[in-house]
Amino acid sequence: MKSTLRYSIDAIKCDVCQLVKEGYLDRLQPIYALCNFYANRDWTCVECELERHDFLLRDRIIDLLGCEEWRED
């Protein structure tokens, strides 16, 4: 029996936030850059969830970040 892993849009956004925070992704990169951080079989699920929420792979990472908290130095 094959198990299907499902990613929620909230989990993806959380992953993206962490990757940007750690400097692995830039806000202006296309969403497609995320595929480098998921296994091939998982990427298919992530891609479907993104499409389900009207995100295109050519959209920018910043579109997934929503509201960011800014702090003055």
Side-chain angles (χ1 to χ4, degrees), residues 37-55:
F37 300 94
Y38 292 95
N40 288 340
R41 68 169 187 254
D42 295 341
W43 175 246
T44 303
C45 299
V46 170
E47 187 177 1
C48 288
E49 184 68 5
L50 290 167
E51 288 175 1
R52 202 166 75 80
H53 289 275
D54 298 321
F55 288 103

Side-chain angles (χ1 to χ4, degrees), residues 26-38:
D26 184 83
R27 291 170 175 79
L28 298 179
Q29 285 182 273
I31 289 174
Y32 184 75
L34 277 176
C35 73
N36 296 315
F37 300 94
Y38 292 95

Side-chain angles (χ1 to χ4, degrees), residues 12-22 64-65 68:
I12 295 167
K13 286 180 177 183
C14 185
D15 288 348
V16 168
C17 186
Q18 192 64 34
L19 288 167
V20 168
K21 188 177 189 179
E22 293 176 7
L64 288 171
L65 294 176
E68 290 185 274

